[in-house]
Short mmCIF file of all heavy atoms in Angstrom, two decimals:
data_model
loop_
_atom_site.label_atom_id
_atom_site.label_comp_id
_atom_site.label_asym_id
_atom_site.label_seq_id
_atom_site.Cartn_x
_atom_site.Cartn_y
_atom_site.Cartn_z
N VAL A 307 7.37 56.89 -7.78
CA VAL A 307 6.19 56.44 -8.45
C VAL A 307 6.55 55.65 -9.69
O VAL A 307 7.36 56.06 -10.51
CB VAL A 307 5.30 57.61 -8.84
CG1 VAL A 307 4.11 57.18 -9.59
CG2 VAL A 307 4.81 58.38 -7.53
N GLY A 308 5.96 54.46 -9.87
CA GLY A 308 6.10 53.70 -11.09
C GLY A 308 7.33 52.82 -11.08
O GLY A 308 7.60 52.09 -12.08
N PHE A 309 8.14 52.76 -9.99
CA PHE A 309 9.33 51.96 -9.95
C PHE A 309 9.01 50.47 -10.17
O PHE A 309 9.58 49.80 -11.03
CB PHE A 309 10.07 52.15 -8.63
CG PHE A 309 11.36 51.42 -8.58
CD1 PHE A 309 12.43 51.75 -9.39
CD2 PHE A 309 11.51 50.31 -7.70
CE1 PHE A 309 13.61 51.01 -9.38
CE2 PHE A 309 12.74 49.57 -7.68
CZ PHE A 309 13.82 49.96 -8.54
N LEU A 310 8.04 49.97 -9.39
CA LEU A 310 7.72 48.54 -9.49
C LEU A 310 7.21 48.21 -10.94
O LEU A 310 7.56 47.21 -11.47
CB LEU A 310 6.63 48.21 -8.45
CG LEU A 310 6.11 46.81 -8.49
CD1 LEU A 310 7.17 45.70 -8.27
CD2 LEU A 310 4.98 46.58 -7.43
N ARG A 311 6.36 49.12 -11.42
CA ARG A 311 5.90 48.90 -12.83
C ARG A 311 7.06 48.73 -13.82
O ARG A 311 7.07 47.81 -14.65
CB ARG A 311 4.95 49.99 -13.23
CG ARG A 311 4.33 49.78 -14.63
CD ARG A 311 3.34 50.89 -15.02
NE ARG A 311 3.76 52.22 -14.64
CZ ARG A 311 4.70 52.93 -15.31
NH1 ARG A 311 5.32 52.37 -16.40
NH2 ARG A 311 5.05 54.13 -14.88
N ARG A 312 8.01 49.65 -13.69
CA ARG A 312 9.13 49.55 -14.63
C ARG A 312 9.95 48.26 -14.46
O ARG A 312 10.34 47.66 -15.46
CB ARG A 312 10.13 50.76 -14.42
CG ARG A 312 9.53 52.08 -15.01
CD ARG A 312 10.59 53.21 -15.09
NE ARG A 312 10.95 53.62 -13.72
CZ ARG A 312 10.29 54.51 -13.02
NH1 ARG A 312 9.11 54.99 -13.49
NH2 ARG A 312 10.70 54.90 -11.82
N ILE A 313 10.07 47.85 -13.25
CA ILE A 313 10.81 46.55 -13.04
C ILE A 313 9.98 45.40 -13.66
O ILE A 313 10.50 44.52 -14.31
CB ILE A 313 10.99 46.28 -11.53
CG1 ILE A 313 11.88 47.39 -10.89
CG2 ILE A 313 11.52 44.91 -11.23
CD1 ILE A 313 13.36 47.29 -11.22
N LEU A 314 8.67 45.46 -13.42
CA LEU A 314 7.84 44.34 -13.85
C LEU A 314 7.74 44.33 -15.41
O LEU A 314 7.54 43.25 -16.00
CB LEU A 314 6.43 44.42 -13.24
CG LEU A 314 6.38 44.07 -11.81
CD1 LEU A 314 4.95 44.08 -11.21
CD2 LEU A 314 7.00 42.73 -11.51
N THR A 315 7.95 45.46 -15.99
CA THR A 315 7.95 45.57 -17.45
C THR A 315 9.10 44.69 -17.98
O THR A 315 8.97 44.07 -19.08
CB THR A 315 8.08 47.05 -17.92
OG1 THR A 315 7.08 47.77 -17.32
CG2 THR A 315 7.88 47.11 -19.48
N VAL A 316 10.20 44.65 -17.30
CA VAL A 316 11.31 43.88 -17.75
C VAL A 316 10.88 42.38 -17.76
O VAL A 316 11.10 41.69 -18.71
CB VAL A 316 12.53 44.02 -16.80
CG1 VAL A 316 13.67 43.05 -17.19
CG2 VAL A 316 13.05 45.42 -16.81
N LEU A 317 10.23 41.94 -16.69
CA LEU A 317 9.82 40.53 -16.64
C LEU A 317 8.77 40.30 -17.77
O LEU A 317 8.84 39.26 -18.44
CB LEU A 317 9.10 40.24 -15.26
CG LEU A 317 10.00 40.41 -13.99
CD1 LEU A 317 9.23 39.75 -12.86
CD2 LEU A 317 11.33 39.70 -14.18
N ASP A 318 7.90 41.29 -17.93
CA ASP A 318 6.89 41.15 -19.08
C ASP A 318 7.58 40.89 -20.39
O ASP A 318 7.27 39.93 -21.11
CB ASP A 318 6.08 42.40 -19.16
CG ASP A 318 4.74 42.29 -18.38
OD1 ASP A 318 4.59 41.27 -17.79
OD2 ASP A 318 3.96 43.26 -18.53
N ASN A 319 8.50 41.82 -20.62
CA ASN A 319 9.20 41.81 -21.98
C ASN A 319 9.98 40.46 -22.19
O ASN A 319 10.07 39.93 -23.22
CB ASN A 319 10.21 42.93 -22.06
CG ASN A 319 9.47 44.24 -22.19
OD1 ASN A 319 8.29 44.32 -22.40
ND2 ASN A 319 10.17 45.37 -21.92
N GLU A 320 10.49 39.94 -21.10
CA GLU A 320 11.25 38.66 -21.09
C GLU A 320 10.28 37.43 -21.12
O GLU A 320 10.71 36.37 -21.29
CB GLU A 320 12.17 38.51 -19.91
CG GLU A 320 13.31 39.52 -19.86
CD GLU A 320 14.33 39.23 -21.03
OE1 GLU A 320 14.83 38.11 -21.02
OE2 GLU A 320 14.62 40.14 -21.79
N GLY A 321 9.03 37.71 -20.84
CA GLY A 321 8.06 36.60 -20.69
C GLY A 321 8.35 35.73 -19.49
O GLY A 321 8.16 34.53 -19.50
N LEU A 322 8.72 36.41 -18.49
CA LEU A 322 9.11 35.71 -17.21
C LEU A 322 8.05 35.90 -16.14
O LEU A 322 7.76 37.08 -15.82
CB LEU A 322 10.49 36.19 -16.76
CG LEU A 322 11.20 35.57 -15.73
CD1 LEU A 322 11.59 34.14 -16.02
CD2 LEU A 322 12.56 36.34 -15.40
N GLY A 323 7.51 34.87 -15.58
CA GLY A 323 6.58 35.00 -14.52
C GLY A 323 7.27 35.12 -13.16
O GLY A 323 8.48 34.90 -13.09
N PHE A 324 6.54 35.61 -12.16
CA PHE A 324 7.17 35.59 -10.85
C PHE A 324 6.22 34.90 -9.87
O PHE A 324 5.07 34.77 -10.12
CB PHE A 324 7.49 37.07 -10.40
CG PHE A 324 6.31 37.92 -10.21
CD1 PHE A 324 5.56 37.94 -9.05
CD2 PHE A 324 5.79 38.70 -11.28
CE1 PHE A 324 4.45 38.75 -8.89
CE2 PHE A 324 4.62 39.51 -11.17
CZ PHE A 324 3.99 39.50 -9.91
N GLU A 325 6.77 34.58 -8.71
CA GLU A 325 6.00 33.83 -7.68
C GLU A 325 5.59 34.72 -6.54
O GLU A 325 4.46 34.55 -5.96
CB GLU A 325 6.83 32.69 -7.13
CG GLU A 325 7.47 31.80 -8.12
CD GLU A 325 6.37 31.01 -8.99
OE1 GLU A 325 5.40 30.58 -8.41
OE2 GLU A 325 6.68 30.90 -10.20
N HIS A 326 6.39 35.68 -6.20
CA HIS A 326 6.15 36.50 -4.97
C HIS A 326 7.06 37.70 -5.02
O HIS A 326 8.15 37.58 -5.53
CB HIS A 326 6.55 35.54 -3.82
CG HIS A 326 6.18 36.07 -2.45
ND1 HIS A 326 5.00 36.66 -2.20
CD2 HIS A 326 6.82 36.11 -1.28
CE1 HIS A 326 4.87 37.10 -0.94
NE2 HIS A 326 6.00 36.75 -0.32
N ILE A 327 6.47 38.84 -4.52
CA ILE A 327 7.28 40.03 -4.47
C ILE A 327 7.15 40.70 -3.05
O ILE A 327 6.30 41.56 -2.86
CB ILE A 327 6.91 41.08 -5.51
CG1 ILE A 327 6.94 40.48 -6.92
CG2 ILE A 327 7.79 42.33 -5.47
CD1 ILE A 327 6.82 41.45 -8.05
N PRO A 328 7.94 40.24 -2.07
CA PRO A 328 7.87 40.97 -0.85
C PRO A 328 8.65 42.31 -0.99
O PRO A 328 9.70 42.35 -1.73
CB PRO A 328 8.64 40.04 0.15
CG PRO A 328 9.37 38.98 -0.72
CD PRO A 328 8.84 39.13 -2.10
N THR A 329 8.18 43.33 -0.32
CA THR A 329 8.82 44.66 -0.38
C THR A 329 9.01 45.27 0.99
O THR A 329 8.31 44.99 1.90
CB THR A 329 7.98 45.63 -1.27
OG1 THR A 329 6.73 45.85 -0.58
CG2 THR A 329 7.78 45.27 -2.68
N GLY A 330 10.04 46.14 1.02
CA GLY A 330 10.26 46.94 2.23
C GLY A 330 10.43 48.36 1.82
O GLY A 330 10.15 48.68 0.66
N ILE A 331 10.86 49.26 2.69
CA ILE A 331 10.91 50.70 2.31
C ILE A 331 11.91 50.91 1.25
O ILE A 331 11.67 51.63 0.26
CB ILE A 331 11.06 51.59 3.56
CG1 ILE A 331 11.18 53.00 3.15
CG2 ILE A 331 12.30 51.20 4.47
CD1 ILE A 331 10.98 54.00 4.26
#
Side-chain angles (χ1 to χ4, degrees):
V307 174
F309 182 70
L310 176 61
R311 180 178 43 76
R312 283 193 291 281
I313 297 286
L314 291 183
T315 307
V316 174
L317 300 190
D318 262 5
N319 293 344
E320 292 290 307
L322 188 63
F324 64 87
E325 308 295 321
H326 188 42
I327 305 192
T329 59
I331 177 165

